[in-house]
Amino acid sequence: MSRSVTILGAGLVGSLLAVILSKKGYKVTIYERRPDMRSARIAAGRSINLAVSVRGWNALEIAGIKEAIEPIAIPMFGRSLHMPDGSAAYQQYGKNNEAIYSVSRGELNKKLMTVAEEAGATIFFDHRCTHVNVHTNELTFQHEDKEVKVQADLLFGADGAFSALRSGYVTADRVDASQFYLAHGYKELTIPPAEDGGFRLAKEALHIWPRHNYMLIALPNTDGSFTCTLFFPFEGAEASFAALKSDADVQAFFLKNFPDAVELMPTLLEDFRNNPTASLITTRIFPWHMGDKSALIGDAAHAIVPFYGQGMNAGFEDCTVLLGLMDEYGDDWEKILGAYEQKRKCNGDAVGELAIMNFVEMRDKVADPVFLERKRLEKELGKMFPEQFISIYEMVSFSHTPYDTVMKCIKAQDALLERVMNVPNLKTIFETAAFGDQLKDWVAAYHTSVKDLDFGPAARK
Amino acid sequence: MSRSVTILGAGLVGSLLAVILSKKGYKVTIYERRPDMRSARIAAGRSINLAVSVRGWNALEIAGIKEAIEPIAIPMFGRSLHMPDGSAAYQQYGKNNEAIYSVSRGELNKKLMTVAEEAGATIFFDHRCTHVNVHTNELTFQHEDKEVKVQADLLFGADGAFSALRSGYVTADRVDASQFYLAHGYKELTIPPAEDGGFRLAKEALHIWPRHNYMLIALPNTDGSFTCTLFFPFEGAEASFAALKSDADVQAFFLKNFPDAVELMPTLLEDFRNNPTASLITTRIFPWHMGDKSALIGDAAHAIVPFYGQGMNAGFEDCTVLLGLMDEYGDDWEKILGAYEQKRKCNGDAVGELAIMNFVEMRDKVADPVFLERKRLEKELGKMFPEQFISIYEMVSFSHTPYDTVMKCIKAQDALLERVMNVPNLKTIFETAAFGDQLKDWVAAYHTSVKDLDFGPAARK
C-alpha cells in the first residue's frame, strides 16, 4: 500500500508536486497558509513576474498543462537596454531565437491548484503551519482561531523561503543552514497599457534600465501593461529607498535617472508610496531530507534572488528529478529522498550563486560596451561551434544542464572569451583562415576541459 | 532614570553581564532555563573544562572574583603531546612562562551567579524562553506547567548557541545568519586521581593525543583527576562514533590508538557507553543588536568550537567591551549597542575561524616535526624581537589583540616563518652575524606590514 503524502504550501512547487504525486497514485493533502487565491483577491506589489524557461516548460508538460499556459505566456527573445542618455540597445538571448516567457504568477498558480485537485489532491487553505516535529512528523497548524494537529506520513516542505519544515530542520542536531539578504530591496511599479490597449514598450523583450548599483526592469503582461520592478539599495545617502523620503524625492530621482520610463508611469508616486519594499533572501540548508520521512523542495530548500528568472524553474526541476527517481526506485522513499538530495542540493546552491552573479550582470555589466562585445562573440562562437560551445545564459535558460555544471563551466568559458577578445585587431582578422584555425584549437581546448561534466538530458524544443 | 535589564541565560556570560550591569546601577533580572546548579546535581558528560586565558582573567578581575577563582585554577604552561609510538613531546605555550588555566565550568558558573545576586541581580530558574517578539521585547517562558509572559525593557540574549533571542532575530527581516556543524562530535571520558590522590599525568599541561583526523585531550582538575574529551568523526567505516558499536570495539580501538591513555581510564567503557555524543556548532549572525532594545552576547552571538579554549574568554571580552562603551556613552543604549556590534561582530566571526583552524593544528599538525620546529622558531623570534614579533597563539591567549587583527596577522606571519625555515642550513647559520642582519630586515618588514593594525590594550600580568 502506498504512503499518503502531506505537502506544506500550495504555491507553484507544492501544487506541481501534488499533481505529480497524485498521478503516481499517492493520496495527497496540501496545507496552505493563505486563502484560496482563486476566490480571494491577491495583494498586489510582491509578485515579480515569472520568466518560464526550458526547465519550467518541461515540468508543465509533465503536469499536462503546457498547452493551457502557452496562451498566457509572452515570449521575451532578448534584453532591451535603456541607457541613461535615452539610447537603447538590444541583446538577443539565444542564437536560435529561443525565448523566456513572461507569465503571471497568480494565473499559473491558480491553474496548477486546479489541476492538482483534478488529479485527486485535497487542499486545505488558511492553515498556517506553526510547528513541525521533524522526528515524528507531527504538524501543528493555526486555522482560524483553532490549533489543528495533523500526523503526516510522508511530508514535503514546499512552503517557501520561510518554510515551517525548514525551521524544524534548523533546530535539529547537525543541520547546517544559512540565510543572507542582499543590501538591495525591490518595489513593484506599473506601466499601464497604451490608450489603444497596446504595449507602450516593445512587447517581446525584458526591459532593463541598468544603472550600475541599481536597476529598473519591466516584463510584459497579456493585458498590454508591464510590471516594473525597481531593485534598489535599502540604505545610502543618495540612490536608496532610505534617501527617497517624499513624493518630490521620488519624482526628481526618476526624472533624472529613468526619464524615458517615468513618462510611461502615470501611477509612479502612488505605486511607490503604497507598494511594499521587499527584501531579497538567499538560503541554503543541509540535509534536504530526513530518512524516508520528509524532504524540502523549491524555495524551502534553496530560496534564491530573482535575477536569473530561475526560482520557479529550479523548483519545478526539483519535482521532475523526484519523478525520475520514483520511476527508478518505486516506493523506496529512503532511496528516493537520498538520491534526490544527492542530485539536487549542489544544484540548489549553484543556482543561488548564479542568480546573485546575474544581478551584477543585469544592473551593471550589460551597460558596458566591452560586455556587449563579449555577448556578440558568445553568439558567434555558438553558431560556429554548436557542438562545443554553448553560452552560460543558454545553458541556464535553454538547456537542462545541471546548474552545478554551469558553475563549473564559467571559469573555462571566461578564459576562452578573454583569450579571443585579447587578440589585437580581432574584427579585422576574425574571418581569416589563420585565425579560424587558431580559434578552432582554442574552442577544442575549452571543450576538452569541460566535456566530461554532466550536461544532463538535451533540452526539448 | 536608568533602564531595567532582562538577561536570557545565567550561564557564564549572562551571569558576568549581570554583575557588570548591576554594579553600574541597573536593575537586572535573569531568566535561566535550567534549575539552580548550586542546589541541583549537574549532568556529567557535556562540560569540556574551561581554559581561562588573559581575556577571561581580565573580566573576572572586573567582576571582582579573580581572587576567588585562582585557588581552583590549574595553570597549563604548554601542550604535552602523546604520540602513537608511546613517545611524548612538550610545547611550551608562551616565551615568558605564561599559562592558560584549567577551571571547572560548574564551579566558575556557580560563583558568578552568587556574585551577580550579591550585586543585586535576581535570577529566575526553570524558565525556558519559548518566544521573543524582537519588535516589542515581549518574552514568553515555559515555567513548570505554566506559560509566563514578561515585558522586557533592555534585553540581552546570553542564552548560548541555541539562543531564543537569536531565533527571534533570525525570523526578522534582513537578518543574516548561519550555523554549521563539524563532521566531528565529542565525548567526555575520565582519568581518575591516582590511588595516593595525585595526578596520573603531568599536572600543569594540556595533554593531547593527536591522531590526524581525530584526537583525545585531557585537562587537569583540582581533585587529581583529568577530564578527557575524544574529538572523533561521527561517520566513517573505521575511526568514528558510528564504527565503534560494542564495548569490544571501543576497547580494541583505544588499546590500538591510545595505549598509554587506556591504562589510566578504568571507567572507559562505562563512560563511552553512558556519556552523550555531542555535536560541535559554529554560528554567525548579523545584526547583533536591534536599536536600543536588545543585543546578543557570547555564544548567542558567536557560538564557536572549543579548540582554542576561547569561547568563554571571547564572551567575557564582549562584556568588558560593553562595559567600556557604557563608560564612554553613559546610558545612550542606541550608541552603546551600535558601537558594541561594530567592535565585536568582526571579532566574533574571527574567533570562530581561529577555533576551527586550531582543531586542525591540535589533532594533526602538532604531531609533525616541521611544525614543532616552527613552534621553536616562533619562540626564538619572540625572544629576539619582543617588540616586533608575537606569535599567533600568544596574541590569542596572552594578549587583548582583537581576534580580527589576529586573523589579519596570520598570512604575514606565515610568510615570515616560511621564509626563515626555507633558509638552507638554518641551524648552522642561525647565530651568524650575516644571518642576524637578514633576519632583522625580514622581521622589520613583517612588523611594518602589520604595525598599523589595532592591537588593543596591552595584556595585564
Side-chain angles (χ1 to χ4, degrees), chain B residues 226-243:
Chain B
F226 284 84
T227 303
C228 306
T229 311
L230 175 68
F231 294 97
F232 207 42
F234 279 104
E235 315 293 341
E238 289 188 22
S240 75
F241 284 115

Side-chain angles (χ1 to χ4, degrees), chain B residues 390-403:
Chain B
I390 300 162
S391 75
I392 296 299
Y393 190 91
E394 290 169 314
M395 283 186 203
V396 171
S397 299
F398 307 133
S399 87
H400 294 289
T401 306
Y403 298 115

